[in-house]
Amino acid sequence: MESPTDIPTSIPLDDWLAKLGQSTGAPGGGAASGVMLGIAASLLSMVAAYTPDDPRAAECGRRVAVLRGEALRGAESDGIVSADFGTALALPEDDQDRDARVRDAAVHAAESAARLGASGMGLLSDLRVLREIGNRSLSADLAVAAAALGAGLSGSSINLRANLRTARAHHASTAALADLNLDAARLAEAQQSAARIAEELSAEFDG
């Protein structure tokens, strides 16, 4: 029997979305962000495949295929982390272990969001290359890829910052969160860059 905390992204899309809509939290917003990054990667791969005359496009295609796999594996593992986080939060307030359990689960959830965000940040460089060299007939697809990337990065950023806030509220030390705080800053910057590119690409279709 399939565990409710182990929902592979390889199941039919309709089934995965139905599970996303249930009150289990696994998959949740973090996994959804990973799937959006996977969609962005696939669209970038398509643009690269339609740009056969530039070797840089083939390089982009190879990189984004790897990053798509990373994003989807991250989406699956995030569902497990999310379920563990929910279990910790559900502990009674008077449970003497609750504070430590929630703190540790929040840190693990933040780490999961940071890993997903790293996949998205990797895609950003290929988006920039394909914006320069990509087949112009695929401009709309590239714009959608940028929008999906921005959404995936934004979701990862939101989850990372939310999990860090919970970890701090449950007495995580500043030192323990230092690297994750740096990840949050880098992720926020990448999300803004993707959003700017998406807006600029979309504006090309105005008028």
Side-chain angles (χ1 to χ4, degrees):
M1 182 177 178
E2 185 181 67
S3 166
T5 65
D6 186 14
I7 307 300
T9 52
S10 57
I11 65 174
L13 178 59
D14 186 57
D15 292 344
W16 193 88
L17 291 174
K19 292 179 183 297
L20 181 63
Q22 295 172 2
S23 59
T24 62
S33 299
V35 169
M36 285 187 281
L37 293 175
I39 291 170
S42 290
L43 286 166
L44 290 173
S45 181
M46 181 174 69
V47 174
Y50 272 102
T51 311
D53 298 329
D54 193 313
R56 290 175 293 173
E59 293 171 6
C60 285
R62 287 190 288 270
R63 283 194 299 266
V64 299
V66 172
L67 291 168
R68 178 179 61 212
E70 288 182 5
L72 294 182
R73 287 190 295 273
E76 291 180 7
S77 63
D78 190 85
I80 299 172
V81 171
S82 178
D84 291 343
F85 195 6
T87 298
L89 288 169
L91 291 171
E93 293 285 346
D94 59 356
D95 188 314
Q96 63 180 1
D97 295 327
R98 186 179 188 274
D99 190 65
R101 288 274 302 276
V102 172
R103 180 188 65 237
D104 292 346
V107 171
H108 291 154
E111 291 169 344
S112 178
R115 285 192 295 272
L116 281 170
S119 297
M121 286 188 283
L123 291 171
L124 185 57
S125 62
D126 291 299
L127 171 63
R128 290 184 174 122
V129 172
L130 291 170
R131 184 186 185 187
E132 176 188 348
I133 68 170
N135 187 327
R136 297 301 295 170
S137 297
L138 278 291
S139 295
D141 299 290
L142 187 63
V144 175
L149 178 55
L153 286 169
S154 178
S156 296
S157 175
I158 289 167
N159 279 294
L160 175 52
R161 289 181 285 117
N163 294 328
L164 285 173
R165 184 182 65 178
T166 300
R168 286 192 293 268
H170 290 270
H171 310 107
S173 69
T174 300
L177 301 181
D179 288 344
L180 288 168
N181 283 321
L182 290 174
D183 288 336
R186 286 191 288 263
L187 188 50
E189 183 179 352
Q191 186 275 324
Q192 292 168 4
S193 295
R196 282 195 299 270
I197 294 172
E199 184 177 354
E200 290 164 3
L201 289 171
S202 177
E204 294 177 4
F205 303 106
D206 294 340

